C-alpha cells in the first residue's frame, strides 16, 4: 500500500524530508547542501532492550516506518524483497493456493526446500508481532504493513532469547504505539494496474487519541484489493482407464489469482503511575485469495489450466497484553498472547489423478455405487484451525550498569486441527450395491482420502543473558536457554478398507479419539529437552565503530511421522560462528555494516513426498554454510541517500543423503543393500537456496519553493537481485511405487534451476505539510522472476506439469495521502 505521511505533528516535517535508507531514518534537508546533517539513530529491541542499531552486536537489518512507506511495502512479499538474508518457498498440494499466508521462510541458506507440510517440521525462522510469536506451521502470517514502526530481521540463531522456531533467525514486526502528545492521524488511497492483469486499489487510515492523561488509544483500519495476473485458460484431459474426458470450461477466467485483505488494530496504553504501564492490543485480519498463484510455463506466460476452483480464506485474530513496570531498580515485562487462525481452502488435484491413471492405472479403482467407472478427478477441501498461547515473563537489571542481566520464563502451546478431504464426485459410498466395495472413507461420502488430525506442540523454557563491561569499550555476553518440548499427533489419515489394505481404516489400532473420524491410526508423541547458548565479545573501537564475535546455537524440536513404519524424526541443531563490524564514517554520513559466518546444520530435518505422494520427514545428515552479509547507507549531501544490502551464501552437504526410510530401516550407507544406486544427494550438494541476494536504492529529495511554499519533490530508484537456485535438495530421487524403489531419476535436471532475476522499481512524487501524491512503477522491466517451482505429486509421476511461482509483473501505481492533526 505504501506511503503514509501522516504522523504526529512534531514529526511531520521530518517525515516529509526523509531520505531512503537501509535500517535508519534520514535527516531533514539542510540549508547548506554541502554539509549533510548525518544519519539519524534507529532504536531497535532485538535483544529485548532498547538500543541503537549501530551498537547492537548482531547482524540485524531494520526497515523503519519511513523506509517501509517509501518502498511501498504493504505485505510479506514486499518486505522480504529488501531483507537479503531471508528467502521463502510456497506451493504444492495441500498448501492452500500458494497465495498470501502460505510462505515457508528461511534465513542464511538454512533450508532443505521441503518444509511446510501440516504434519511436518516446525519452521526454522520465528516471526513475532510485537512481543508475541505468530509463527505457524501452515505458513507465515501475511500481516498487512501499515502504521508499523519497523520490521527487524535478526540473522543467525536466536534460540537464547526467542526459542525453538528461531533456529536460523527471527523476523519481528513492531507496531506504532499510542502516545499522549495529541490527537492526530491520517489516511490514504491508492490504485494500481498490473501488466497482464487487472486493477488493484485500497485504503488505509489510523488515528491516535489520548483519552485522558493516563489513557491513549491507537486505531488502525485497512482494506485492499490486489489484482490478479494469471489466466486459467481452457483445457481438457482424457483419462486412459475410463476414457472419460473432462474440461475446465466452468472455471476458465483471466486474472483469476486476485485477493482481498481487510483488517484493523486497536491498541491501548494505560499508565497506572510513573512506573507501571498496561498495553492491551487486538489485531484482526481476513484475506480471501482466489485462483492459483503459480503458472505452467508449457502453456505460455502466466497461463495455467485448473479444473476446479482454487481459493483460500484466511482469518486470524491476535489478542495480546503487555505489562511493563519496575520493582526497585529492576525492569519487569510480562507479555501474553492468544492467537486464533482459521483457513478454509480448496485446491485442484487433477494432476495427481491424471498422471497416476496414466502411469499406474489408478482409474480402475475409481467407481460409483454400481461399479461403473467415473471421473477420477480429485479436489482437496482443507480446513485448518490454529491456536497459539504464549506467555513470557522477564526481568532485567538497569541497562547502564557495568554488570547487567536479563532472565525470564517462557511458555507456548500451539494446536492445529487438520482437516484435508480429497473428494471425488460420485465415489462409491456406504450405499453401494452388494459386491461393490465402499471406496469412500466411512462417514465421509465422496471422500477417497481423509486427513483429520489434531497436532499439539508445547514449549517450556527458562532463559537468561548476562553482560559485563570488562573495560568501557569491551563487553562480554553469555546467554543460555534450557527448554522442554513435546510434540503429539493423533487422529486418522488414509483410505477406506475397500480401497487400501494397509493405509487408513485397514491400519487403525483403535476407535476414534478425534471427532468425525472412523477410527484412529495415528496417536504418537515425542518429548525432548536440551540447552542452547550464545557467547559474544564486543569491542567498541570508538563512538562510530565496533567489532564483535559470536558463538551461538539454535535448535528445532523433532516430531512424529504419521506412517507407522517410519520412526520419529529427531531434533536438528544449528551452530553459528560469526564475526561482524558496524561502522560510521565521515561525520556520520556513511554507515557500513558487515558480518561473516560459518554455520553447521547437523542432522537437519527434510520433508518430501514419498510413497503415493505421502509426506515423510527424515533427518538428512549434515550441512555447512559459509556466508557473508552486509549493508550500507550513504548520505553524500543532504537530500540524497544511497543504500544497499546483500547476502552471499555457500551452503552444501558435508555428508551423503542416501534417501528415504524403507520399512524401519534408515539408510545410512549408500550404495547399499536397500538403496543400491548411491546417494540421492552426494556430499557437496548445494542446499536449495540462492547464493546471492541483494538490493540497492537511491532517493533524492528537493524543495519546489517556486511552485508552492513547503512543497517537496522526490525521485527514487531501487533494484533487487537474486541469483539462481534449486527447489529441491535431492539431485536424484528413486520412484517409490508399491513399496519398492525403482531406478533414481535426475530430479534437479527435471525441475531445472530457478533462473536469476533482477527487478527495478521507480517512484516520484511531491508532498506538503498536509498531503502527498506518489507515482510508482514496480518491476519496471517486467522481469518474470521464479520464486519457486513444484509439482502436485512426486516429480517422477507429475513431472509432466511443473508450476512456477512468479513475482508480480510490472505494476503502475498512484497514491494520495492526507494528514490529520
Amino acid at each position: 500500500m505504501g506511503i503514509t505521511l501522516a504522523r504526529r505533528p512534531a514529526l511531520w516535517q521530518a517525515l516529509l524530508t526523509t531520505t531512503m535508507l537501509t535500517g535508519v531514518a534520514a535527516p531533514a534537508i539542510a540549508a547548506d547542501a554541502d554539509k549533510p546533517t548525518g544519519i539519524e539513530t534507529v532504536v531497535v529491541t532485538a535483544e529485548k532492550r532498547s538500543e541503537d542499531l549501530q551498537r547492537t552486536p548482531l547482524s540485524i537489518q531494520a526497515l523503519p516506518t519511513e523506509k517501509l512507506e517509501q518502498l511501498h511495502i504493504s505485505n510479506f512479499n514486499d518486505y522480504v524483497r529488501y531483507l537479503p538474508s531471508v528467502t521463502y518457498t510456497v506451493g504444492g498440494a495441500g498448501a492452500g493456493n500458494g497465495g498470501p499466508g502460505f510462505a515457508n521462510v528461511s534465513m542464511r541458506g538454512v533450508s532443505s526446500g521441503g518444509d511446510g507440510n501440516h504434519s511436518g517440521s516446525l519452521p526454522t525462522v520465528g516471526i513475532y508481532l510485537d512481543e508475541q510469536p505468530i509463527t505457524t506451521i501452515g505458513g507465515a502470517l501475511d500481516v498487512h504493513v501499515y502504521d508499523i514502526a519497523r520490521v527487524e530481521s535478526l540473522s543467525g540463531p536466536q534460540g537464547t532469547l526467542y526459542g525453538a522456531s528461531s533456529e536460523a533467525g527471527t523476523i519481528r514486526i513492531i507496531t506504532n504505539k499510542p502516545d499522549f502528545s495529541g490527537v492526530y492521524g491520517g489516511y490514504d488511497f491508492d490504485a494500481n494496474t498490473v501488466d497482464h492483469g487487472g486493477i488493484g486499489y485500497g485504503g488505509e487510515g489510523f488515528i491516535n487519541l489520548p483519552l485522558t492523561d493516563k489513557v491513549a488509544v491507537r486505531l488502525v483500519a485497512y482494506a485492499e484489493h490486489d489484482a490478479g495476473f494469471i489466466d486459467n485458460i481452457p483445457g481438457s484431459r482424457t483419462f486412459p482407464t475410463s476414457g472419460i474426458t473432462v474440461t475446465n470450461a466452468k472455471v476458465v477466467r483471466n486474472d483469476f489469482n486476485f485477493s482481498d485483505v481487510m483488517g484493523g488494530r486497536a491498541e491501548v496504553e494505560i499508565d497506572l503511575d510513573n512506573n507501571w504501564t498496561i498495553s492491551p492490543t487486538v489485531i484482526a485480519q481476513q484475506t480471501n485469495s482466489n485462483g492459483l498463484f503459480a503458472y505452467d510455463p508449457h502453456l505460455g506466460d502466466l497461463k495455467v489450466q485448473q479444473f476446479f476452483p482454487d481459493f483460500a480464506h484466511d482469518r486470524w485474530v491476535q489478542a495480546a497484553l503487555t505489562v511493563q513496570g519496575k520493582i526497585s531498580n529492576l525492569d519487569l515485562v510480562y507479555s501474553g498472547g492468544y492467537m486464533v487462525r482459521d483457513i478454509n481452502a480448496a485446491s485442484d488435484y487433477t494432476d495427481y489423478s491424471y498422471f497416476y491413471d496414466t502411469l499406474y492405472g489408478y482409474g480402475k479403482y475409481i467407481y460409483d455405487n454400481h461399479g461403473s467407472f467415473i471421473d477420477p478427478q480429485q479436489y482437496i477441501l482443507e480446513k485448518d484451525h490454529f491456536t497459539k498461547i504464549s506467555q513470557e515473563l522477564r526481568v532485567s537489571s538497569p541497562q547502564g550498569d557495568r554488570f547487567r542481566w536479563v532472565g525470564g520464563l517462557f511458555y507456548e502451546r500451539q494446536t492445529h486441527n487438520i482437516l484435508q478431504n480429497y473428494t471425488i464426485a460420485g465415489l462409491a459410498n456406504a450405499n453401494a450395491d452388494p459386491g461393490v466395495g465402499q471406496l469412500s472413507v466411512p462417514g465421509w461420502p465422496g471422500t477417497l482420502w481423509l486427513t483429520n488430525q489434531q497436532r499439539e506442540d508445547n514449549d517450556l523454557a527458562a532463559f537468561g543473558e548476562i553482560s559485563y563491561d570488562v573495560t568501557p569499550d569491551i563487553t562480554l555476553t553469555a546467554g543460555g536457554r534450557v527448554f522442554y518440548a513435546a510434540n503429539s499427533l493423533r487422529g486418522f489419515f488414509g483410505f477406506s478398507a475397500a480401497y487400501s489394505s494397509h493405509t487408513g481404516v485397514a491400519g487403525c489400532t483403535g476407535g476414534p479419539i478425534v471427532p468425525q473420524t472412523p477410527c484412529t491410526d495415528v496417536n504418537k508423541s515425542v518429548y525432548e529437552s536440551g540447552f542452547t547458548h550464545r557467547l559474544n565479545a564486543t569491542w567498541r573501537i570508538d563512538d562510530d565503530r565496533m567489532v564483535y564475535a559470536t558463538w551461538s546455537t539454535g535448535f528445532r524440536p523433532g516430531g512424529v511421522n504419521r506412517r507407522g513404519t517410519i520412526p520419529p524424526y529427531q531434533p536438528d541443531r544449528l551452530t553459528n560462528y560469526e564475526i561482524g563490524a558496524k561502522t560510521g564514517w565521515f561525520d556520520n554520513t556513511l554507515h557500513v555494516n558487515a558480518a561473516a559466518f560459518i554455520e553447521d546444520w547437523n542432522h537437519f530435518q527434510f520433508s518430501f513426498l514419498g510413497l503415493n505422494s505421502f509426506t515423510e520427514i527424515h533427518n538428512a545428515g549434515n550441512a555447512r554454510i559459509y556466508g557473508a552479509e552486509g549493508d550500507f547507507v550513504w548520505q553524500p549531501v543532504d537530500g540524497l541517500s544511497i543504500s544497499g544490502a546483500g547476502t552471499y551464501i555457500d551452503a552444501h552437504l558435508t555428508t551423503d543423503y542416501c534417501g528415504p526410510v524403507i520399512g524401519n530401516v534408515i539408510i545410512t550407507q549408500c550404495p547399499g543393500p536397500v538403496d543400491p544406486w548411491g546417494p540421492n544427494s552426494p556430499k557437496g550438494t548445494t542446499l536449495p537456496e540462492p547464493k546471492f541476494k541483494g538490493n540497492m536504492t537511491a532517493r533524492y529529495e528537493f524543495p519546489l519553493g517556486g511552485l508552492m511554499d513547503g512543497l517537496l519533490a522526490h525521485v527514487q530508484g531501487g533494484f533487487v537481485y537474486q541469483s539462481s537456485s534449486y527447489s529441491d535438495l535431492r539431485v536424484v530421487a528413486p520412484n517409490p511405487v508399491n513399496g519398492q524403489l525403482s531406478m533414481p531419476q535426475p530430479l534437479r535436471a527435471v525441475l531445472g534451476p530457478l533462473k536469476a532475476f533482477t527487478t527495478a522499481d521507480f517512484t516520484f512524487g511531491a508532498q506538503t505539510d498536509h498531503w502527498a501524491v506518489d507515482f510508482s512503477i514496480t518491476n519496471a522491466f517486467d522481469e518474470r522472476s521464479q520464486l519457486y517451482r513444484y509439482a502436485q505429486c512426486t516429480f517422477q509421476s507429475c513431472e509432466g506439469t511443473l508450476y512456477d511461482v512468479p513475482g508480480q509483473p510490472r505494476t503502475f501505481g498512484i497514491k494520495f495521502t492526507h494528514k490529520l492533526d
Side-chain angles (χ1 to χ4, degrees), residues 142 144 222-224 259-264 283-289 312-317 342:
D142 199 339
H144 183 72
Y222 50 85
E224 177 182 77
S259 64
D260 294 284
V261 180
M262 62 182 301
I283 305 175
Q285 181 172 302
Q286 175 174 297
T287 303
N288 295 328
S289 56
H313 301 157
D314 185 0
R315 297 173 295 275
W316 56 269
V317 177
D342 287 291

Side-chain angles (χ1 to χ4, degrees), residues 9-79:
L11 299 181
W12 180 247
Q13 183 62 32
L15 179 58
L16 291 174
T17 57
T18 299
T19 58
M20 176 57 55
L21 299 173
T22 297
V24 293
I29 297 176
D32 186 352
D34 294 329
K35 295 181 180 180
T37 57
I39 300 169
E40 291 186 359
T41 298
V42 167
V43 175
V44 297
T45 53
E47 294 192 302
K48 304 284 189 178
R49 58 180 181 266
S50 298
E51 56 190 342
D52 182 353
L53 177 96
Q54 288 299 109
R55 299 179 67 85
T56 305
L58 63 87
S59 183
I60 173 176
Q61 287 185 309
L63 304 177
T65 301
E66 293 82 1
K67 186 165 187 178
L68 293 171
E69 293 163 347
Q70 293 169 356
L71 290 174
H72 290 201
I73 288 174
S74 67
N75 55 43
F76 171 85
N77 288 352
D78 291 341
Y79 67 72

Side-chain angles (χ1 to χ4, degrees), residues 469-643:
D469 295 334
V470 180
T471 71
D473 300 320
I474 298 176
T475 300
L476 301 179
T477 299
R481 189 181 190 98
V482 179
F483 66 90
Y484 169 82
N487 169 275
S488 65
L489 186 68
R490 60 181 187 170
F492 176 85
F493 70 100
F495 302 105
S496 69
Y499 188 85
S500 173
S501 61
H502 58 278
T503 302
V505 173
C508 281
T509 57
I513 57 178
V514 172
Q516 296 184 303
T517 57
C519 51
T520 299
D521 60 351
V522 59
N523 187 8
K524 298 181 178 181
S525 301
V526 295
Y527 308 91
E528 58 196 336
S529 59
F531 174 78
T532 187
H533 72 265
R534 172 177 177 258
L535 299 176
N536 175 273
T538 302
W539 176 30
R540 296 176 184 83
I541 301 171
D542 54 35
D543 289 342
D544 297 321
R545 286 167 283 272
M546 61 173 281
V547 293
Y548 67 88
T550 298
W551 172 31
S552 58
T553 58
F555 67 94
R556 178 168 55 163
V560 301
N561 271 290
R562 292 182 290 174
R563 182 170 282 157
T565 57
I566 304 175
Y569 54 94
Q570 303 302 308
D572 58 19
R573 181 174 290 268
L574 186 71
T575 302
N576 173 60
Y577 308 93
E578 178 178 338
I579 57 173
K582 296 194 171 183
T583 65
W585 307 88
F586 310 122
D587 294 327
N588 197 38
T589 60
L590 173 66
H591 286 176
V592 179
N593 302 330
F597 53 88
I598 300 174
E599 296 185 335
D600 288 321
W601 194 18
N602 294 325
H603 307 296
F604 67 86
Q605 298 162 17
F606 176 45
S607 302
F608 61 90
L609 295 179
L611 177 64
N612 295 325
S613 296
F614 183 83
T615 299
E616 302 176 7
I617 307 97
H618 301 267
N619 292 91
N622 301 330
R624 171 161 286 187
I625 302 166
Y626 298 94
E629 58 196 8
D631 60 83
F632 75 92
V633 182
W634 181 34
Q635 183 197 334
V637 296
D638 275 326
L640 173 65
S641 64
I642 304 170
S643 63

